[in-house]
Amino acid sequence: MNKRLLNVAKQLKPELFHTYINKDFSSELKVGEAFVIDFVTHYTGFLSLDLDFEGSPVDAPILLRIKFCEHKDEINEKTEEYHGWISKSWIQEELIHLDILPTTLKLKRRYAFRYVKVELVASSNKYRVILKGAHIDALSSNNVRVNYVGNNSLEKNIDKVALLTLHECMQYEFEDGPKRDRRLWLGDLRLQALTNYYTYKNYDLVKRCLYLFAGVTDKDGRVPACVFTSPKVTGDDTFMFDYSLLYISTLNDYFKHTNDLKTVIDLLPIATKQIELAQNNFTDDIVNDSSVLGWCFLDWNLRLNKQCGAQGVYLVALKDLIELYKATNKDTKLLIDDYKKKLEASKHFFDEKLGVYVSGKDRQISLASNVWMILGNDFSLEKNQQIIHNLKSLSFEEIVTPYMYHYYIEALIKCGLKEEARSTMDEYWGAMANDGADTFYELFNPNNKDESPYGGKAVLSYCHAWSCTPSYLLRKYFIGDNKND
Ligand code: RAM
């Protein structure tokens, strides 16, 4: 824990802006029935409900079940059937007794939702319960509005949904999702920050997050995969090979968009340390494989072998570190030598016959491995295009997160396949938009709507920051003046 670095983060803690939403109505709640309030779009904040009664005096309490849903499919989802491996407590439900009516019930916990399902579980039959109003005190550290962009109504809608996704996740930090996990994760931060540079431009929030990570490295100097900020700032004891390395890329992106050399100089030792520590994971310049879940993230496809993708992430991070060294006039020789060695060793992953990268002892073919190696290598456009082409003729492990789709699109762009990149974006995020998304999801497999790495869908987050990047991709590559940026 580095107090000085955390103090910088503390100084940058943003204020939260409030938006108040009020709905007035008068609706009788009947025992065993549910009333669904639709707030028309997604909010992150505190709910209160006005409740009244008609008839005889309130001679017994009422028991309410209140369920918060980000997506319409959650309304009728049987949450009691969820028995997955991450905690049930993420499910947004409350069971509440109220002894006195009329009253305004103010919920203490912050929720993320568009729909609120209010069910009267029990009450006495001597009086009728009336729901009279619902109010949200919605919160975000963003108060900037941005015009939607896109070539057609689908793209404009994608941009609108992506912008709202980012807005909702901007709280005291960049949260990964306001429903779950409600905390700062490194992989998510990188994509949020990139999108933020082209939209809301809250540079201080990115800087704060960079300092939060810098302040909680472990005893060896490793950047953890995520940070908790309440009740006090604490680094998680989860470390992921790729997430630690992407700290470097996040710092380099920050520098490119702010020119804030002072911050770079301050944080460069921490960035450099991630490359040094990563060396322990290599044998003969090839990343060691592992079967430990989460040793390296890449994507939530649980069948994915991460070895080759991890090598690609290392190369990407090393290239970013070289850029940072150049920007600060530091000697890059050792880093460049290392890049050459690691790239040369990456031939180990290349299957000459198939013309694609393969990963692990079973030589698994996956999109994720090839995407990260394309992003990490220094091959010609044509050679990388050929890899994508070869891959398409084979069957391969797919990807299921908008996070990994983002990197897939970046890889297509790097190969000069801009049209394909754009149509992939339109198709993937468009399918979520057509699925009724107000905000984009943590996970979306167009080929399997029931996909969940957690053993059930009830804990999935439907407003997940790493899915906000169409707002970045559109502005950086596809429309307007920045097209050739
Ligand atoms: C999930 C979170 C987060 C992601 C990690 C790897 O638990 O949703 O967004 O970064 O996985």
Side-chain angles (χ1 to χ4, degrees):
M1 184 100 101
N2 182 314
K3 278 203 178 138
R4 182 186 69 80
L5 297 172
L6 289 184
N7 205 31
V8 178
K10 195 171 163 194
Q11 304 302 321
L12 294 164
K13 186 169 177 180
E15 64 167 306
L16 297 184
F17 299 100
H18 295 253
T19 309
Y20 298 99
I21 295 96
N22 295 303
K23 263 188 181 284
D24 293 318
F25 42 79
S26 184
S27 186
E28 184 180 343
L29 296 178
K30 294 195 172 143
V31 173
E33 287 181 13
F35 182 81
V36 177
I37 309 164
D38 178 359
F39 284 98
V40 187
T41 190
H42 191 280
Y43 291 102
T44 299
F46 295 92
L47 178 83
S48 47
L49 296 175
D50 301 329
L51 290 140
D52 206 344
F53 75 101
E54 283 170 5
S56 301
V58 176
D59 62 334
I62 61 169
L63 179 61
L64 292 177
R65 177 175 287 121
I66 305 173
K67 182 179 183 186
F68 297 83
C69 311
E70 297 185 296
H71 192 277
K72 61 179 179 341
D73 290 355
E74 290 176 283
I75 299 171
N76 294 320
E77 188 167 41
K78 294 196 171 57
T79 49
E80 64 281 8
E81 289 175 7
Y82 172 78
H83 301 293
W85 62 271
I86 62 170
S87 178
K88 264 186 178 182
S89 56
W90 285 116
I91 297 171
Q92 302 192 104
E93 268 174 336
E94 298 257 9
L95 203 56
I96 293 173
H97 284 91
L98 293 172
D99 289 282
I100 295 166
L101 295 179
T103 192
T104 294
L105 166 66
K106 289 192 173 169
L107 289 165
K108 287 206 185 83
R109 185 166 189 261
R110 195 198 74 187
Y111 282 103
F113 57 98
R114 165 175 168 169
Y115 307 96
V116 179
K117 184 176 182 180
V118 185
E119 190 188 334
L120 184 60
V121 181
S123 81
S124 122
N125 54 17
K126 289 193 69 180
Y127 64 92
R128 292 183 304 283
V129 181
I130 316 290
L131 183 60
K132 289 221 150 151
H135 315 278
I136 311 173
D137 175 3
L139 300 168
S140 169
S141 52
N142 174 58
N143 70 344
V144 173
R145 292 284 169 268
V146 172
N147 289 336
Y148 308 138
V149 299
N151 242 4
N152 47 47
S153 59
L154 176 76
E155 280 188 349
K156 284 196 181 124
N157 191 33
I158 289 175
D159 190 36
K160 177 180 167 200
V161 175
L163 283 166
L164 182 62
T165 307
L166 180 59
H167 170 90
E168 293 290 275
C169 295
M170 287 168 77
Q171 300 293 331
Y172 287 125
E173 299 78 48
F174 281 105
E175 290 183 11
D176 61 335
K179 169 183 170 184
R180 210 213 81 241
D181 298 331
R182 304 162 66 127
R183 75 185 72 120
L184 174 63
W185 281 85
L186 215 140
D188 307 65
L189 169 64
R190 181 177 189 211
L191 302 192
Q192 285 169 293
L194 280 175
T195 307
N196 169 61
Y197 300 136
Y198 285 83
T199 56
Y200 303 136
K201 303 186 197 302
N202 189 338
Y203 303 108
D204 276 355
L205 194 61
V206 183
K207 183 173 170 186
R208 166 170 159 78
C209 294
L210 286 166
Y211 272 91
L212 282 172
F213 276 111
V216 297
T217 54
D218 72 356
K219 61 175 183 7
D220 299 324
R222 190 180 310 272
V223 170
C226 71
V227 182
F228 302 89
T229 48
S230 271
K232 62 181 175 58
V233 179
T234 314
D236 196 5
D237 52 8
T238 300
F239 297 88
M240 292 170 170
F241 181 82
D242 52 345
Y243 272 31
S244 296
L245 285 168
L246 287 173
Y247 183 81
I248 304 166
S249 304
T250 312
L251 183 60
N252 193 27
D253 298 336
Y254 172 79
F255 177 63
K256 283 187 195 160
H257 290 94
T258 59
N259 267 317
D260 179 357
L261 203 57
K262 194 169 158 243
T263 294
V264 170
I265 291 169
D266 204 14
L267 300 180
L268 198 56
I270 287 149
T272 306
K273 195 78 194 167
Q274 305 319 302
I275 286 289
E276 285 168 20
L277 288 167
Q279 304 308 321
N280 303 330
N281 289 60
F282 283 86
T283 306
D284 297 332
D285 294 315
I286 294 167
V287 173
N288 302 328
D289 202 1
S290 167
S291 55
V292 175
L293 177 76
W295 73 272
C296 172
F297 174 62
L298 304 188
D299 186 60
W300 269 125
N301 173 346
L302 295 172
R303 294 179 304 273
L304 198 64
N305 181 283
K306 315 284 175 74
Q307 189 188 19
C308 175
Q311 183 101 5
V313 174
Y314 180 87
L315 293 171
V316 167
L318 191 50
K319 281 198 288 182
D320 279 313
L321 191 62
I322 292 168
E323 286 187 17
L324 286 169
Y325 268 47
K326 282 186 183 152
T328 48
N329 291 321
K330 283 175 83 90
D331 188 1
T332 53
K333 186 176 176 317
L334 288 178
L335 297 182
I336 291 173
D337 287 349
D338 186 34
Y339 180 80
K340 284 183 189 151
K341 273 199 302 180
K342 298 285 195 301
L343 184 64
E344 178 63 20
S346 304
K347 282 184 180 157
H348 164 84
F349 295 108
F350 199 72
D351 186 311
E352 289 293 344
K353 232 166 81 201
L354 300 174
V356 296
Y357 290 99
V358 296
S359 184
K361 65 174 176 7
D362 296 330
R363 303 178 68 73
Q364 182 191 69
I365 305 171
S366 75
L367 185 55
S369 300
N370 283 279
V371 162
W372 277 109
M373 279 308 302
I374 287 171
L375 292 171
N377 70 29
D378 65 353
F379 296 175
S380 69
L381 205 122
E382 291 75 22
K383 200 168 163 189
N384 274 332
Q385 244 180 51
Q386 191 59 47
I387 294 173
I388 291 281
H389 182 76
N390 297 340
L391 185 70
K392 291 218 169 124
S393 66
L394 300 163
S395 79
F396 56 82
E397 276 301 334
E398 57 193 8
I399 56 179
V400 297
T401 57
Y403 171 79
M404 193 57 222
Y405 260 87
H406 166 83
Y407 287 111
Y408 175 34
I409 288 165
E410 292 271 21
L412 290 173
I413 290 166
K414 193 181 167 197
C415 296
L417 299 169
K418 208 164 173 180
E419 277 312 303
E420 191 179 333
R422 189 171 192 162
S423 59
T424 305
M425 180 192 81
D426 287 353
E427 243 172 68
Y428 183 69
W429 274 270
M432 276 187 267
N434 293 334
D435 185 46
D438 297 292
T439 47
F440 288 125
Y441 316 162
E442 166 181 24
L443 185 131
F444 181 66
N445 179 355
N447 304 319
N448 175 16
K449 287 280 178 69
D450 292 326
E451 177 100 26
S452 166
Y454 306 125
K457 287 183 76 179
V459 293
L460 282 183
S461 150
Y462 291 92
C463 175
H464 217 68
W466 65 20
S467 64
C468 71
T469 62
S471 296
Y472 158 77
L473 296 165
L474 278 164
R475 287 172 182 77
K476 177 161 184 188
Y477 300 112
F478 302 141
I479 48 116
D481 300 330
N482 302 326
K483 225 186 304 185
N484 302 314
D485 210 24

